Amino acid sequence: MMKLLSRFVFWITGWKVVGGWPKDLRKAVMIAIPHTSNWDLLYARAAFYIMDVPVRFTIKKEVMVGPLGWFIRALGGLSIDRQKMAGKRKQTYTEAMVEMLKNREELVIMVTPEGTRSYAKRWKTGFYHIALGADVPIVIGYLDYKKKHAGIGPMIQPNGNLEEQMEQMKEFGRQVTGKYPEQGIR
């Protein structure tokens, strides 16, 4: 049903899917770039339904209650429970997501590296550390509003060289036009 509805949304708005999800890839961290508008969720979610990408996103468990929680789960939301670790501190979101990836047969977690819809000079690095810690690749998902393309870009296996690999991802992102280009990747 959602795939059919997604195809209708793309048809009526003139968007198209470019590329596809690697067939044998069962676990990954997907970054969604550039993130400049609330509309990004609609087009990205529709594109992932069309491509059969089992993408999920994380949210605090405290938000996942009642009708709002049901709706968020239906869209792919996963609650994060920052349980206490052996010792006294709670685990970080990064640690919780690494554990999620390690403990499941199939999981693709979507993250927006900018952490905001506004221009971000520096990306958050948690997604990189999640992929490195879980030994899974980072896949670039993108929305190009100028071309009306939603697609899958390069896949990068984290090797610990954070700055170099972040620059590779940003270089790809600079070729993609967000809904509000001035807020995109520079």
Side-chain angles (χ1 to χ4, degrees), residues 26 31 40 42 47 55 73 85-88 92-93 106 109 111 122 134-135 137 148 150 152 167-168 172 178 182 186:
R26 298 173 52 104
I31 60 169
D40 295 348
L42 171 73
V55 71
R73 265 187 219 85
M85 297 178 66
K88 304 223 188 244
T92 66
Y93 285 105
E106 181 175 284
I109 298 177
V111 178
R122 292 189 50 82
D135 193 27
K148 290 192 171 185
I152 302 295
E167 184 53 37
Q168 289 173 332
F172 176 82
E182 68 280 2
R186 298 182 196 155

Side-chain angles (χ1 to χ4, degrees), residues 132-181:
L132 186 64
D135 193 27
V136 299
I138 298 167
V139 178
I140 300 176
Y142 68 92
L143 295 172
D144 191 320
Y145 282 81
K146 185 176 182 179
K147 296 176 183 174
K148 290 192 171 185
H149 287 175
I152 302 295
M155 183 169 55
I156 294 172
Q157 184 66 45
N159 62 15
N161 193 339
L162 175 71
E163 295 301 321
E164 180 182 306
Q165 291 190 303
M166 290 284 262
E167 184 53 37
Q168 289 173 332
M169 291 179 263
K170 285 183 178 183
E171 185 57 38
F172 176 82
R174 289 183 190 105
Q175 301 168 38
V176 178
T177 305
K179 181 161 180 64
Y180 300 108

Side-chain angles (χ1 to χ4, degrees), residues 57-64 77-83 91-98 100 109:
F57 59 91
T58 57
I59 192 162
K60 290 189 271 187
K61 79 170 186 166
E62 292 80 12
V63 177
M64 301 290 280
L78 284 173
S79 62
I80 292 284
D81 183 3
R82 294 177 56 217
Q83 59 197 356
Q91 68 182 165
T92 66
Y93 285 105
T94 300
E95 291 166 338
M97 286 189 252
V98 166
M100 280 182 162
I109 298 177

